[in-house]
Amino acid sequence: MATINWMEEVLKRKDEFIKDLQGLLQIKSVLDEENASEDAPLGQGIKDALQYVLDLGEKNGFSSKNVDNLAGHIEIGQGKELIGVLGHVDVVPEGDGWSVDPYSGIVKDGKIYARGSSDDKGPTMAAYYGMKIIKELGLPLSKRVRLIIGTDEESNWRCVDHYFTQEEMPTTGFVPDADFPIIFAEKGIADYDIVQPIHKQDASASYQLVSFQSGRRYNMVPDFAKATIKVQEAPTKLIEDYLGYLKEVKLEGEANIEDGELFFSLIGKSAHGAEPRHGKNAGILLAQYLQKLELDEVGQKYMLTVSAFHNKSRGEVFGIEYEDEDSGELTINVGVMSYSREAGGRIGLNMRYPVTFDIEEGRKKIEETLHSKGLQLENFSDSKPTYVKKDDPLIKTLQKVYEEQTGEKADLLAIGGGTYARALNHGVAFGALFPGREDVMHQKDEYAIVDDLLLATAIYAQAIYELAK
């Protein structure tokens, strides 16, 4: 068989690729549980995005299957063994401050802008086109290949959990939802809540915390926070002081008073929760200011609990700092904060821990720390680390392909992000963000470089063929 020029095959389909990707990006596939139904268990937008990809596969002659509108797959090839490629079409909320429509898929200056362009609709479409090229070239395969499409990756993984109760587990595979070259190790991920129970309120304090809110997702650094404080007297000096604080931290926000209540807001910088230092946590920064006031005892305790995480994202608050050679440092993101006088306080944390960390011992220390402060630990969930040996045949094959397509060395990486690789019995994360590129996942003006997506498509096409031929 003649040598296949994979990049040449990709470029023949460039316009079609961009058009199909734009169609997917224009679907607002954000989790919408409030409007969920039996037919659309995660919301209509997510169902539409899943069906869009399945319909695309059927139109191009693939076999496809929708698994209860929670997941689905597109398949080519024959044989007993199954190669799995896991992507997802759900996206995090768009957030504020975009310079373009976050669901337009507009292309300018060689970049395609939209929520999901890099995480993970763009890479998923690249993997699909890799399969499409193999099919259109009529290349023989001795194994089956499935592009498995998830719909709840950004939240609770109900998609793959349900899918693998109904469908077989792939023999091996990869996930196009992280970094190139190859991620052989992923940290464990634990989500949990700090809960401050309701206590009798002190109505005599000069300032009484009425409510506090920041964050939408545990795995995002919050970019907005707001608080309401009941005041006893006109707080003109306090408003001026807060505006001075905003200048000091070089962030925007507002303070105003209405009917005896003072309203604060602060705009931070969003980032992926895997590395809190890449963002500016609006909730923590607002709490950092409010904890200096003479708040009521309950409100003051909540502000102190939140602000304790200021510049402390490595487990220092609980005394669980940890690092190993393969997977790096333990990190904690304060992702969701809520307080009301009626419901008490709650703080949602997202913790990424190294592959050799003892999670049970870590949990014990967290509980002990919270108990000593009169706080509670609730809703603890744990996704174990994933790890594939460096000399595994899967890794060797992917290294060969990456180096042939890019001319660069395929170094092995470990990350704090959690990908669908941990949903596989045997799999790794493989692209699609190239080394040295800006990581804009979960940020405003998220984009993917078009040429990078095309190169990723060539890499995926060859990788799928090498694994399944």
Side-chain angles (χ1 to χ4, degrees), residues 371-391:
H371 181 73
S372 70
K373 299 177 182 298
L375 302 170
Q376 299 170 2
L377 177 67
E378 290 186 4
N379 301 324
F380 191 94
S381 65
D382 177 31
S383 176
K384 302 298 182 187
T386 183
Y387 176 84
V388 176
K389 293 181 179 179
K390 294 180 179 180
D391 60 354

Side-chain angles (χ1 to χ4, degrees), residues 121-292:
K121 292 177 177 180
T124 298
M125 190 62 70
Y128 169 72
Y129 262 74
M131 292 173 62
K132 185 173 185 285
I133 289 168
I134 292 169
K135 184 178 187 301
E136 290 178 350
L137 292 179
L139 300 177
L141 302 179
S142 66
K143 301 170 186 174
R144 289 170 295 134
V145 181
R146 279 185 182 176
L147 175 61
I148 300 169
I149 305 145
T151 61
D152 192 33
E153 194 274 346
E154 298 293 358
S155 296
N156 298 314
W157 287 31
R158 287 163 287 191
C159 48
V160 288
D161 289 345
H162 180 73
Y163 179 86
F164 286 122
T165 67
Q166 307 293 318
E167 301 293 327
E168 67 184 290
M169 175 65 65
T171 311
T172 190
F174 65 84
V175 175
D177 187 23
D179 295 343
F180 279 128
I182 301 160
I183 293 170
F184 76 107
E186 295 181 17
K187 294 178 184 178
I189 302 176
D191 287 339
Y192 49 93
D193 291 342
I194 297 174
V195 177
Q196 178 178 326
I198 302 172
H199 293 290
K200 186 177 179 180
Q201 301 292 332
D202 177 13
S204 64
S206 299
Y207 304 113
Q208 299 171 42
L209 183 63
V210 176
S211 66
F212 186 93
Q213 188 72 41
S214 183
R216 300 182 179 95
R217 294 281 187 274
Y218 286 59
N219 63 349
M220 292 178 69
V221 176
D223 62 2
F224 182 77
K226 61 182 180 179
T228 304
I229 294 177
K230 187 176 181 181
V231 296
Q232 304 288 356
E233 55 188 30
T236 304
K237 187 177 183 301
L238 184 60
I239 291 175
E240 293 176 355
D241 186 56
Y242 179 64
L243 295 178
Y245 171 74
L246 291 176
K247 288 183 179 179
E248 179 186 328
V249 295
K250 298 179 180 178
L251 294 172
E252 296 182 356
E254 293 182 350
N256 54 75
I257 188 168
E258 184 178 336
D259 297 331
E261 290 188 333
L262 188 59
F263 300 92
F264 290 97
S265 68
L266 187 146
I267 300 172
K269 179 186 176 185
S270 183
H272 197 292
E275 181 42 274
R277 289 175 178 170
H278 288 168
K280 294 185 178 181
N281 193 306
I284 292 177
L285 288 166
L286 182 54
Q288 184 73 2
Y289 175 80
L290 296 179
Q291 57 90 20
K292 296 184 296 184

Side-chain angles (χ1 to χ4, degrees), residues 34-94:
E34 289 185 8
N35 297 300
S37 64
E38 184 175 348
D39 187 51
L42 303 177
Q44 188 63 41
I46 284 179
K47 176 190 173 185
D48 290 346
L50 171 63
Q51 196 59 51
Y52 177 91
V53 180
L54 297 178
D55 289 346
L56 197 62
E58 288 191 5
K59 183 182 75 173
N60 291 309
F62 291 83
S63 64
S64 68
K65 184 174 183 179
N66 185 325
V67 182
D68 301 319
N69 286 316
L70 282 169
H73 67 245
I74 293 167
E75 183 174 321
I76 58 171
Q78 293 182 335
K80 183 177 180 181
E81 293 186 60
L82 177 64
I83 308 298
V85 182
L86 277 70
H88 68 90
V89 294
D90 60 307
V91 297
V92 297
E94 63 275 15

Side-chain angles (χ1 to χ4, degrees), residues 412-457:
L412 301 182
L413 310 172
I415 65 166
T419 77
Y420 275 154
R422 67 186 65 223
L424 295 169
N425 288 346
H426 185 266
V428 297
F430 187 44
L433 185 67
F434 285 95
R437 297 302 195 195
E438 181 184 21
D439 183 355
V440 291
M441 297 181 188
H442 294 203
Q443 297 185 37
K444 65 182 179 181
D445 285 343
E446 178 185 347
Y447 67 84
I449 297 172
V450 173
D451 285 348
D452 284 0
L453 287 177
L454 298 176
L455 178 54
T457 303

Side-chain angles (χ1 to χ4, degrees), residues 9 117 211 280 321 435 460:
E9 295 297 332
S117 54
S211 66
K280 294 185 178 181
E321 304 97 312
Y460 292 147

